[in-house]
Amino acid sequence: MKERLNSLFTKTRLQILFFAAYVIVTAASLYFADTSVISFLLLLLSILILYFLNLGNKIKWIIGIVILGGLLPFAASHGAAYQSYMEVATFVGIYVAMALGLNIVVGFAGLLDLGFVAFFAVGAYTYGIFATAQASQFMPFGKYPLSGESFWIFILIGCFVAALFGVLLGIPVLRVKGDYLAIVTLGFGEIIRIVFNNLDKPVNITNGAMGLSSITPPEIFGIKLMYPNQFYYVVLAIVIFVIFIVRNLEHSKLGRAWKAVRENEIAAQAMGIPLVKTKLTAFAIGASFSGMMGVVFAAKQTFVDPTSFTLLESTNILVMVLLGGMGSIPGVILGAAVVTILNLQVLTEVTNWLNTLSSSGVFNIPDALSPVKMQRFIFGGLLILIALYRSKGLLPAKNRTYNPEKLMENEVPESKVVLVANEKIESVNGR
């Protein structure tokens, strides 16, 4: 036994040493290279490696925050592409938070939602209307635009407004399931976009197709946040908060109720789970995260219009959840990061590289097969390959199971009752 513990300790120590060396080398290469996309991606990969290390969760969180909050911005600050790297990292955080919100609806509760970007739009317009002079068009009182300090309040306001819209969506769609639910939510997302596109008459609220421009950037202690590296820390703080909330919800009584509804609504209702309340809570909480990031998106871009909230955006967020693994928090984070980095950086860099080779005469690419036009095709092909060989996602969800023999030995507290459903054993507190 002692030899086994010593071997395990030695193995863990070697893992830590190799991981530390990997992080130092990638950070140094990113710092000293003028533009090194590969070094930037390898440094981000260290977070995935950290997830698989045999360390405690608290230690992993501390190391991860140090890498993302300190080492990554510092290493990228030396190169000419610093703002570009921070831009990509910021968008990764925005989509991670939204994907985690959709994961509550799709992954935990099993409710297919194809109009999730509507809540993102609600949050963006909630801040955009009051952070520009647009509010003075229909509100005779008050001085607009509001100051940048109001941004921090609007994060909460956008959260609650989006949650309200989530409940309004959930009420009429509770009677439909499966494909019909997907069609109804798809319609809801398109309705929201069309309403914002046409809500410039008879009262001009959203400025219609022209959108809202010159949105007031956030302020903190009198300093305006105008650069991607500044927004990066705001997004990082929100993402950490969202992960903490979702992790606690997953293993709570409500989280187990969502999973019970996902597996079998009739069995869940027979066990006393209120279907209406459970589904509405999933819609509301999932939408609230998207509303928060909508506020951040509007403040960062300083411009919003209906074209930013199309069906394609909803599809992208759903792909992130499916690619990472429905119901898996680490998987959804990985899926959101992979899809965002592929779209914003990797495929763009490959396209620019191939265009450079083509313009230099190394080889000629037909116009119909231009990398710019084939970018979506390449992205779709990669998704198909991953779906074929990792059908349950990159990091599938792991359900907690209990050994029946241990249950007979009274190793589970008496305050828990065990439910047996679909050949899986789950514990439910308070039953």
Side-chain angles (χ1 to χ4, degrees), residues 12 20 234 345 354:
T12 303
V234 176
Q345 192 162 59
L354 291 177

Side-chain angles (χ1 to χ4, degrees), residues 48 75 114 134 147 164 217 231 238 272 287 292 304 376 381 386 409:
L48 179 61
L114 292 181
Q134 188 64 32
S147 65
L164 176 61
F231 278 98
I238 295 177
M292 283 194 300
V304 291
R376 284 289 175 183
I386 294 174
E409 296 173 0

Side-chain angles (χ1 to χ4, degrees), residues 29-110:
S29 62
L30 178 61
Y31 181 81
F32 290 107
D34 187 32
T35 55
S36 179
V37 176
I38 295 178
S39 299
F40 173 69
L41 297 178
L42 289 176
L43 185 56
L44 287 179
L45 183 63
S46 65
I47 301 299
L48 179 61
I49 298 173
L50 177 64
Y51 171 75
F52 289 104
L53 290 181
N54 188 23
L55 297 174
N57 286 332
K58 290 184 179 180
I59 297 177
K60 289 182 179 180
W61 272 96
I62 293 173
I63 296 175
I65 292 174
V66 169
I67 293 174
L68 294 177
L71 189 59
L72 176 63
F74 173 76
S77 63
H78 185 71
Y82 173 54
Q83 296 297 338
S84 174
Y85 292 148
M86 292 297 99
E87 181 90 4
V88 173
T90 301
F91 273 106
V92 168
I94 290 174
Y95 281 108
V96 163
M98 286 199 294
L100 287 172
L102 183 59
N103 186 50
I104 291 177
V105 181
V106 178
F108 291 168

